[in-house]
Amino acid sequence: MQDLLRGRVVAAPGPASPATVAGLDVAYDDSGQRLGAAVVVLDTGDLSVLDTAVVRGRPAFPYVPGLFAFREVPALLAALDRLTVRPEVLICDGHGLAHPRRFGLAAHLGVLTDLPSFGVGKTRLVGEWEPVGATRGSRSALVDGGEPVGAVLRTQTGVKPVFVSVGHRIDLDHACALTLRLAPRYRLPETTRVADRVCRDLLT
DNA sequence: GCGACAG
DNA sequence: ATCTTGTCGC
């Protein structure tokens, strides 16, 4: 399925300066039998929350590295469907092309929605990189099998970097620039932080 | 056979 | 992802 859908990924420059971005995340209960998914739309200017949509349900697939999208995509699509504001870019908790078959969650969601998308992961799935500079904004190429698949980006000086990789209709430089703009104070972009908080609250 | 392995 | 325990720093 991934090998098939991968052919629908579009590599495009930009987007220049999106006014809205969406953050997506999923949380699970203690049993792992229930999940809560959230999509939040933020204004890139002041990082204010413009819209929120949530969904509760069951995992559609077990967690298997490389097949992560099959677990969370159904719930995230359902949540996206409930949005009132149409986001210009999707920022996913996970990887885009930095995937064994170059089709991680961010690429998967991008193709299915045809919205520009990229992933910001907390840990690596594939690839190697040279040490990243210690200051905010420093980045190092993430390379897998000899090809560049993303960037290891320092969003806060002296804090562990994040892994940025494009999904659909966006280039790496714009993805990194957006990530930095959305992470003025913490390691992760506000989109991810807000979505994480919202979906976690669904389980309590 | 052994280590790696998004969330 | 989720959980615990402990430490460091503002």
Side-chain angles (χ1 to χ4, degrees), chain A residues 11-76:
Chain A
S17 49
T20 59
V21 290
L24 305 85
D25 196 23
V26 175
Y28 300 84
D29 70 359
D30 298 317
S31 74
Q33 300 301 294
R34 299 289 299 177
L35 64 75
V39 182
V40 297
V41 180
L42 270 57
D43 181 315
T44 50
D46 61 6
L47 306 191
S48 61
V49 179
L50 301 175
D51 195 13
T52 298
V54 301
V55 159
R56 292 206 288 175
R58 299 192 168 282
F61 205 78
Y63 170 68
V64 180
L67 300 179
F68 178 57
F70 295 102
R71 178 173 174 78
E72 300 194 342
V73 157
L76 291 173

Side-chain angles (χ1 to χ4, degrees), chain A residues 8-16 88-89 106-107 110-111 113-118 166-172 174:
Chain A
R8 283 158 57 173
V9 169
V10 173
E88 292 173 47
V89 179
V111 164
T113 61
D114 200 33
L115 285 171
S117 69
F118 69 96
V166 307
H168 188 60
R169 294 184 185 285
I170 191 170
D171 66 68
L172 188 58
H174 282 82

Side-chain angles (χ1 to χ4, degrees), chain A residues 95-119:
Chain A
H95 300 285
L97 300 192
H99 174 278
R101 288 168 294 284
R102 307 292 181 260
F103 198 69
L105 174 68
H108 204 133
L109 280 171
V111 164
L112 296 189
T113 61
D114 200 33
L115 285 171
S117 69
F118 69 96

Side-chain angles (χ1 to χ4, degrees), chain A residues 22 39-41 51-54 78-87 90:
Chain A
V39 182
V40 297
V41 180
D51 195 13
T52 298
V54 301
L80 280 167
D81 234 33
R82 298 187 173 188
L83 282 179
T84 305
V85 178
R86 180 88 172 151
L90 302 183

Side-chain angles (χ1 to χ4, degrees), chain A residues 14 16 42 55 61 102 105 125 133 138 142 157 161 163 197 203:
Chain A
L42 270 57
V55 159
F61 205 78
R102 307 292 181 260
L105 174 68
L125 174 58
S138 299
L142 179 62
T157 297
F163 299 78
R197 177 66 177 275
L203 303 167

Side-chain angles (χ1 to χ4, degrees), chain A residues 88-188:
Chain A
E88 292 173 47
V89 179
L90 302 183
I91 302 180
C92 309
D93 201 8
H95 300 285
L97 300 192
H99 174 278
R101 288 168 294 284
R102 307 292 181 260
F103 198 69
L105 174 68
H108 204 133
L109 280 171
V111 164
L112 296 189
T113 61
D114 200 33
L115 285 171
S117 69
F118 69 96
V120 177
K122 295 179 285 293
T123 62
R124 75 137 222 177
L125 174 58
V126 298
E128 310 83 47
W129 65 96
E130 293 302 311
V132 190
T135 60
R136 168 179 154 83
S138 299
R139 58 185 271 192
S140 181
L142 179 62
V143 180
D144 183 46
E147 49 181 295
V149 295
V152 184
L153 177 69
R154 187 89 64 184
T155 53
Q156 293 299 322
T157 297
V159 173
K160 191 199 305 184
V162 297
F163 299 78
V164 179
S165 61
V166 307
H168 188 60
R169 294 184 185 285
I170 191 170
D171 66 68
L172 188 58
D173 283 346
H174 282 82
C176 286
L178 254 182
T179 299
L180 286 172
R181 167 176 260 296
L182 294 167
R185 166 133 196 229
Y186 298 100
R187 180 190 179 218
L188 299 177

